[in-house]
Amino acid sequence: MLLSDWYAERNKRLRQIAREEGKAEGKAEGKAEGIAEGKAEGEAKERELWIAWNNRRLEAEAKGEEFNEPPPS
């Protein structure tokens, strides 16, 4: 009986370790995905700012007006 108890306890510890490693891996993957999504959203927002600025510049140019608005930073 002692050997079977040891074996069951060992398996329980190994499952616990595997579970903790899985959680850590999942958190790391989730963090990486969140960073990638945030970066993509930021790039899209910046692209929108530049497009809007360029459209205003082209519109002013077409009207023959002076355009001295600085580009988005």
Side-chain angles (χ1 to χ4, degrees):
M1 219 40 189
L2 190 59
L3 186 58
S4 65
D5 290 343
W6 172 83
Y7 187 73
E9 185 62 33
R10 177 181 168 272
N11 284 340
K12 183 179 175 183
R13 281 194 317 260
L14 291 175
R15 283 192 304 274
Q16 180 64 29
I17 291 169
R19 197 173 304 119
E20 290 170 3
E21 288 174 353
K23 285 181 183 179
E25 186 177 321
K27 286 180 182 178
E29 287 177 11
K31 185 176 181 179
E33 287 177 15
I35 289 171
E37 287 177 14
K39 184 177 178 185
E41 288 177 12
E43 289 172 352
K45 189 173 282 191
E46 183 179 16
R47 190 169 29 260
E48 289 174 11
L49 290 173
W50 275 95
I51 290 171
W53 176 84
N54 193 48
N55 287 339
R56 289 191 300 276
R57 183 186 66 80
L58 292 173
E59 192 176 305
E61 184 180 294
K63 293 178 181 178
E65 298 174 354
E66 184 179 332
F67 185 79
N68 55 9
E69 178 184 329
S73 55

